[in-house]
Amino acid sequence: MSMLQVQGLKVAYGGIQAVKGIDFEVAAGEVVCLIGANGAGKSTTLKALARMVPAQGSVRYDGHDILHLPPHALVGRGLALVPEGRGVFGRLTVAENLRMGAYTRRDTPEIARDLESVFELLPRLRERQRQTAGTLSGGEQQMLAIGRALMGRPRLLLLDEPSMGLAPIMVQKVFEVIRSVSQQGMTILLVEQNARLALAIASRGYVMESGTITLTDAAATLLDDPRVREAYLGGE
Amino acid sequence: MDIFLQQIINGLTLGAVYAIVALGYTMVYGIIQLINFAHGEVVMIGAMTALTVIAGLAGSGVPPLVIVLAGVLAAVPVCMAVGYGLERVAYRPLRHAPRLSPLITAIGMSIVLQHVAMMVWSRNFLAFPQIFPNPVFFVGGAAITGVQITIIVLSLLIMGALTAVVFRTRLGTAMRATAENPEVARLMGIDCDRVIALTFIIGAGLAAVAGVMVGSYYGIAHYTMGFVLGLKAFSAAVLGGIGNIAGAMLGGFLLGLVEALGAGYIGDLTNLCHLPWQPDLVAARCAADGHLVLFGSNYQDVFAFLVLIGVLMFRPEGLLGERVGQRA
């Protein structure tokens, strides 16, 4: 059974139907990407899953419908979103940001252990743990946002445009981190405009176009698909 | 008697109360950008509740210290309930409304609370019973009373405790996270409505203590006492930089000092008899009375608002505030 099963998901924003009834699923251990042009409805889809925008349809996570849950109830169920634009708390220190990631947890010794493994994965954060997050570079903030999400011990990680606004070298580093997180067995749903990067890391992909899913296949197949190459990979 | 030192002592006492009240304004503003104009009324309800309990127990043989503690312990939960009620009934339903709506609602709640208090406690000035001897100590030619010492020391302790809560605890971190970005705070599993309610409750608890302080300092309570006090504390919060906790403390003490020194010296400074050249009319009055004062210490209240106007004109972000864009 799929870990996440989405059926007929619709999101309307101020009169505009941003997501027009889409179906997709993510199985445990998979990395699935949602690619498409700016404004195709990818980020809106993730926001709907995280209950940040009202949506209709059925979203089953671990067999339970989560569309009626308040947004703050999701972390405790193992579903974490790394939001678009990173959303770190700029006035809080790096360590405080990470601790907020574990806000719902009470297992103090385990939290300390997870903090240690986040620092091992993202050593820059250890060096800067006493600095306020606002003083970090964009790439470091993205790392922090990912580390913070990991502190909630998610079983499904939703990543919204992790490459956005980062220098190419930083994008490489962020994707290395995502790859190593997935190699540790994390299930990931990745929304990304950079289709090449996303398909390189994912096992399967969905292509979104003006609110609907137009194409889905194994990532390797999509990389070779002429329509995808034409539209999203610069037509090489 | 040393007037300067005396006014410093009075100013610190007043400032301590302003600071405690200003914290309530600034915490609520920091988290939901609302100026809770009903906050001064919460202070008044604290003073009234404590007065009722203290007057009721006075002369019953219960030790005075226990009576005062009972007054505070009654005022704090009552005010917390009022603060929570305000948030739940008046402000939460307007969370996504234009910012002017909750602001006007806050002014409305201030009027409602005043009049409820008038119905409960009458429109008379009520005397705080003097159940304690109030010892007076003399330092360097100035007098400081036991009540003043208690107010200053207690408020410093409260400020220290509050700072520790906000900057050292999980709840405080959640508060700061919610203040900065409620949407992302929810993603962390933070129930923002609960954190906001707790902010109101903490602010109201502080207001209760401030109410007891100000009541026992002046010895009287009245259902309108919270209004001007609230405006001054709000001015103090703006002076320090609204939304900034250290700013509220600094602003409170500064405003208290400005007010006390202003009240202490304005009479001398506007005494026309000190003028080197005096028109006949003035000279005649000076010869008769020895003084002709333009503004007396009854102009005390003016200083807080002069400070407010000055800050808004020259440094709208306040002393410790960050420069932010227009967010009306």
Side-chain angles (χ1 to χ4, degrees):
Chain A
M1 195 185 65
S2 302
M3 183 178 241
L4 181 75
Q5 192 160 30
V6 177
Q7 275 169 342
L9 183 74
K10 287 183 190 169
V11 186
Y13 256 139
I16 298 161
Q17 196 76 37
V19 177
K20 301 171 180 166
I22 59 172
D23 305 332
F24 65 92
E25 56 183 23
V26 182
E30 259 191 320
V31 178
V32 173
C33 69
L34 210 54
I35 58 173
N38 203 355
K42 312 180 301 286
S43 287
T44 308
T45 302
L46 278 201
K47 284 195 178 126
L49 298 185
R51 304 285 298 110
M52 292 169 81
V53 294
Q56 294 168 323
S58 144
V59 176
R60 296 186 82 75
Y61 168 70
D62 264 353
H64 301 284
D65 195 344
I66 57 167
L67 268 193
H68 64 276
L69 291 177
H72 61 81
L74 293 173
V75 177
R77 292 174 180 240
L79 195 147
L81 168 68
V82 178
E84 189 179 4
R86 312 182 270 276
V88 298
F89 301 113
R91 288 185 211 156
L92 271 55
T93 65
V94 168
E96 283 174 334
N97 267 276
L98 291 171
R99 249 177 276 130
M100 281 293 100
Y103 180 77
T104 55
R105 295 172 54 187
R106 288 284 189 278
D107 46 342
T108 316
E110 291 290 299
I111 293 175
R113 198 175 308 165
D114 287 354
L115 189 64
E116 193 52 39
S117 54
V118 165
F119 281 151
E120 252 156 54
L121 180 71
L122 307 162
R124 288 291 270 179
L125 298 187
R126 188 199 301 273
E127 291 166 32
R128 307 194 166 222
Q129 54 178 311
R130 283 178 217 291
Q131 272 177 242
T132 54
T135 64
L136 300 183
S137 75
E140 288 164 346
Q141 289 189 5
Q142 186 64 59
M143 303 289 194
L144 175 57
I146 293 173
R148 185 178 62 178
L150 292 177
M151 288 300 293
R153 282 223 174 152
R155 284 173 297 125
L156 172 61
L157 189 60
L158 310 175
L159 295 169
D160 196 352
E161 304 273 10
S163 79
M164 197 169 75
L166 299 186
I169 176 90
M170 254 357 251
V171 173
Q172 291 302 331
K173 285 189 177 166
V174 167
F175 272 78
E176 275 164 32
V177 168
I178 298 172
R179 189 186 299 277
S180 65
V181 170
S182 90
Q183 278 164 356
Q184 287 164 23
M186 182 74 71
T187 312
I188 297 175
L189 175 60
L190 168 68
V191 154
E192 185 53 67
Q193 257 192 80
N194 188 331
R196 189 189 309 278
L197 269 173
L199 290 170
I201 206 171
S203 50
R204 291 191 303 117
Y206 292 88
V207 179
M208 251 186 118
E209 226 171 278
S210 39
T212 55
I213 287 176
T214 52
L215 206 58
T216 173
D217 216 323
T221 318
L222 286 177
L223 264 174
D224 286 331
D225 190 297
R227 288 165 294 181
V228 174
R229 297 182 74 95
E230 178 69 33
Y232 306 111
L233 299 175
E236 292 157 52
Chain B
M1 196 170 85
D2 189 334
I3 292 185
F4 180 74
L5 189 58
Q6 187 62 57
Q7 294 307 336
I8 294 281
I9 291 171
N10 296 346
L12 287 177
T13 312
L14 216 50
V17 176
Y18 291 160
I20 296 288
V21 182
L23 281 169
Y25 277 101
T26 226
M27 287 174 69
V28 164
Y29 184 88
I31 206 156
I32 53 171
Q33 287 79 51
L34 165 75
I35 296 162
N36 177 17
F37 276 119
H39 190 58
E41 272 58 50
V42 180
V43 177
M44 174 270 293
I45 289 174
M48 290 294 198
T49 308
L51 183 145
T52 308
V53 171
I54 293 172
L57 291 177
S60 66
V62 180
L65 188 64
V66 176
I67 294 180
V68 172
L69 273 179
V72 176
L73 289 180
V76 169
V78 166
C79 287
M80 284 178 163
V82 171
Y84 176 73
L86 280 175
E87 199 280 318
R88 198 69 191 76
V89 174
Y91 305 140
R92 191 181 296 183
L94 296 172
R95 194 87 86 224
H96 302 287
R99 284 188 52 192
L100 202 54
S101 314
L103 192 72
I104 293 170
T105 305
I107 296 171
M109 292 318 291
S110 152
I111 297 171
V112 168
L113 289 179
Q114 270 187 42
H115 288 87
V116 169
M118 186 190 80
M119 290 190 284
V120 176
W121 285 289
S122 89
R123 51 199 321 149
N124 302 323
F125 283 89
L126 308 176
F128 248 75
Q130 276 283 333
I131 53 170
F132 258 123
N134 190 5
V136 181
F137 307 92
F138 291 93
V139 272
I144 183 164
T145 67
V147 168
Q148 286 180 312
I149 294 173
T150 311
I151 288 176
I152 294 171
V153 170
L154 187 61
S155 65
L156 288 175
L157 288 177
I158 289 175
M159 287 181 228
L162 184 76
T163 308
V165 167
V166 171
F167 291 97
R168 292 273 176 270
T169 67
R170 178 170 165 275
L171 170 67
T173 315
M175 279 177 170
R176 287 179 290 132
T178 304
E180 196 171 330
N181 191 338
E183 262 201 328
V184 176
R186 273 185 207 104
L187 291 178
M188 304 296 112
I190 296 169
D191 182 348
C192 291
D193 280 334
R194 193 170 152 267
V195 170
I196 291 167
L198 282 170
T199 307
F200 271 88
I201 289 172
I202 292 175
L206 297 178
V209 178
V212 183
M213 286 175 174
V214 83
S216 39
Y217 185 44
Y218 289 123
I220 50 166
H222 187 241
Y223 77 97
T224 59
M225 68 187 277
F227 184 69
V228 170
L229 178 67
L231 283 182
K232 286 183 186 170
F234 167 66
S235 307
V238 172
L239 171 62
I242 192 144
N244 185 308
I245 291 200
M249 302 177 189
L250 177 68
F253 279 112
L254 280 180
L255 199 74
L257 289 171
V258 166
E259 210 177 279
L261 290 172
Y265 284 103
I266 188 171
D268 276 352
L269 293 177
T270 60
N271 188 349
L272 296 185
C273 298
H274 292 171
L275 289 178
W277 174 84
Q278 296 160 353
D280 293 343
L281 198 67
V282 173
R285 286 284 298 275
C286 286
D289 302 342
H291 60 86
L292 179 58
V293 173
L294 270 190
F295 302 107
S297 61
N298 51 339
Y299 277 79
Q300 174 178 5
D301 289 352
V302 171
F303 296 102
F305 303 117
L306 283 179
V307 167
L308 178 63
I309 292 168
V311 170
L312 291 177
M313 281 172 68
F314 300 110
R315 201 178 156 85
E317 72 275 20
L319 295 174
L320 302 183
E322 297 156 41
R323 208 170 272 275
V324 287
Q326 207 103 50
R327 292 199 297 187

